[in-house]
């Protein structure tokens, strides 16, 4: 989906996986969740009626879909010159809103929605503000592809755990400690080196992606605060957030891109948009099986491998240029990221 963040946040579906894991913490993990924001805990437990796939089966599928969504989006924006991220995100969200409701009536994949009792108060206090952050994250992360290479954007996304920690420390949700400070320094230094080594650095693109990381980190922290203990897997989450975010984006669209995307549709063709949205939706279906297939460490390593594969693919497919300094800096950032995930964010 046009969007890393559920639809890969323009390439990072692990964020929805993280959200599901935030919301489905096991009872013995409750005290840890009060003290830590941003860990990658034990995978979500799914109802017995849901089909399950082994990690060896679903992780390769997830990696392929995740990478394909990002490459397809970049192709749409920069090769087909369809430079309308707000419209594309809105189209994907609308497709997802319809798709989840079809699955709800035809499969058992959304049985978890029956356990979520959504009230007006809960919608106004939790779903709407998180939806606003989600929309901002999706739009900004997609807009960054108009200015930056796929490889460099993936490197910048490694800064998300640092943003989560900084927000948590600022609002006293979590107290700083030496271990986390070292991890923050590692990731920050690595991303800084990667940025310094970027040959096609664009300040606007950098600021847009930095804002996207800020929105996404704020969303994850707010999920931890407002929806703690609520059972929502990636599809259930998408079921509730997609229509909210789609309506928010529709309200923004006239003031950002106007009617231009509709005129460009004749050139691109509806088949491209539908196949693009269907691929992104398939990624979210895969995420349901992913969160029940492996441990937190396995998912973290799979995400790291996917990012490396994606950066390599970006060089081969789009001719992105990366320097030895970027490779060195990103390696440091990845080490910090793995330490953060495996330490439970504490």
């Amino acid at each position: 989906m046009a969007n890393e963040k559920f639809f890969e946040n323009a390439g990072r579906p692990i964020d929805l996986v993280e959200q599901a894991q935030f919301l489905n913490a096991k009872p013995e993990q409750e005290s840890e969740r009060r003290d830590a924001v941003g860990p990658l805990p034990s995978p979500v437990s799914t109802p017995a009626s849901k089909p399950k796939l082994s990690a060896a089966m679903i992780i390769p599928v997830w990696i392929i879909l995740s990478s394909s969504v990002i490459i397809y989006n970049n192709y749409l924006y920069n090769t087909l010159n369809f430079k309308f991220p707000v419209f594309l995100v809105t189209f994907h969200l609308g497709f997802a809103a319809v798709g989840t409701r079809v699955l709800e009536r035809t499969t058992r994949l959304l049985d978890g929605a029956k356990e979520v009792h959504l009230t007006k108060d809960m919608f106004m206090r939790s779903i709407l503000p998180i939806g606003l952050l989600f929309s901002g994250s999706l739009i900004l992360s997609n807009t960054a592809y108009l200015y930056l290479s796929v490889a460099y954007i993936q490197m910048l996304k490694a800064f998300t755990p640092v943003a989560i920690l900084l927000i948590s420390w600022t609002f006293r949700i979590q107290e700083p400690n030496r271990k986390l400070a070292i991890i923050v320094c590692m990731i920050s230094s690595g991303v800084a080196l990667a940025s310094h080594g970027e040959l096609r650095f664009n300040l606007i693109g950098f600021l847009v992606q930095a804002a996207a990381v800020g929105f996404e980190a704020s969303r994850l922290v707010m999920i931890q605060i407002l929806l703690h203990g609520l059972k929502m897997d990636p599809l259930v989450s998408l079921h509730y957030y997609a229509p909210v975010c789609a309506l928010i984006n529709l309200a923004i669209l006239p003031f950002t891109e106007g009617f231009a995307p509709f005129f460009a549709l004749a050139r691109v063709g509806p088949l491209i948009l539908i196949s693009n949205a269907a691929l992104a939706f398939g990624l979210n279906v895969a995420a349901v099986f992913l969160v029940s297939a492996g441990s937190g460490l396995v998912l973290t390593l799979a995400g790291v491998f996917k990012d490396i594969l994606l950066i390599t693919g970006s060089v081969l497919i789009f001719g992105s240029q990366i320097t030895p300094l970027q490779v060195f800096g990103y390696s440091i950032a990845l080490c910090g990221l793995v330490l953060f995930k495996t330490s439970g964010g504490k």
Side-chain angles (χ1 to χ4, degrees), residues 67-328:
S67 302
S68 299
V69 168
I70 298 176
I71 291 172
Y72 202 164
N73 285 348
N74 190 67
Y75 171 77
L76 190 57
Y77 289 134
N78 296 309
T79 302
L80 297 183
N81 205 34
F82 188 80
K83 298 183 181 296
F84 305 106
V86 178
F87 176 85
L88 189 62
V89 169
T90 306
F91 184 81
H92 282 192
L93 290 166
F95 188 98
V98 174
T100 54
R101 280 149 183 79
V102 171
L103 289 181
E104 184 182 28
R105 288 164 174 75
T106 58
T107 72
R108 303 186 67 88
L109 290 175
L110 276 114
D111 284 355
K114 299 174 183 176
E115 301 177 14
V116 179
H117 304 290
L118 184 62
T119 63
K120 181 179 179 181
D121 182 62
M122 177 185 172
F123 176 84
M124 296 302 296
R125 290 192 303 107
S126 303
I127 301 299
L128 183 58
I130 293 174
L132 286 167
L133 291 173
F134 217 156
S135 285
S137 172
L138 291 171
I139 290 172
L140 290 168
S141 62
N142 276 265
T143 302
Y145 283 84
L146 304 182
Y147 302 97
L148 304 175
S149 68
V150 171
Y152 185 41
I153 288 175
Q154 294 307 117
M155 294 179 188
L156 291 178
K157 286 176 182 176
F159 194 76
T160 301
V162 173
I164 291 174
L165 287 174
L166 293 178
I167 293 171
S168 302
W169 293 346
T170 300
F171 292 97
R172 299 300 182 111
I173 299 169
Q174 183 177 2
E175 293 299 322
N177 60 58
R178 183 179 298 179
K179 183 178 181 180
L180 288 179
I182 292 173
I183 291 174
V184 165
C185 289
M186 283 184 64
I187 297 176
S188 301
S189 300
V191 173
L193 286 173
S195 298
H196 184 69
E198 173 64 17
L199 296 175
R200 298 179 180 178
F201 182 83
N202 182 289
L203 181 59
I204 295 176
F206 175 82
L207 293 176
V208 168
Q209 182 56 41
V213 168
F215 270 79
E216 177 63 9
S218 300
R219 181 183 74 90
L220 290 174
V221 172
M222 189 170 287
I223 285 171
Q224 171 71 359
I225 296 171
L226 298 180
L227 299 181
H228 177 66
L230 187 63
K231 298 279 185 183
M232 290 177 72
D233 66 25
L235 273 185
V236 173
S237 176
L238 191 59
H239 176 77
Y240 286 108
Y241 284 115
V244 175
C245 294
L247 290 175
I248 292 171
N249 290 358
L250 277 176
I252 297 173
L253 187 60
F255 304 99
T256 54
E257 297 169 357
F259 291 102
F262 299 95
F263 297 131
L265 279 177
R267 174 174 54 82
V268 174
L271 183 61
I272 293 290
L273 290 183
I274 292 173
S275 61
N276 182 253
L279 185 66
F281 185 67
L283 175 62
N284 286 277
V285 175
V288 175
F289 298 97
L290 178 69
V291 294
S292 63
S295 66
L297 177 59
V298 169
L299 299 186
T300 298
L301 294 177
V304 168
F305 177 74
K306 183 267 300 179
D307 287 343
I308 294 173
L309 189 65
L310 191 55
I311 290 172
T312 304
S314 151
V315 173
L316 296 176
I317 297 173
F318 298 112
S320 302
Q321 293 180 304
I322 58 174
T323 63
L325 182 60
Q326 282 186 294
V327 173
F328 178 66

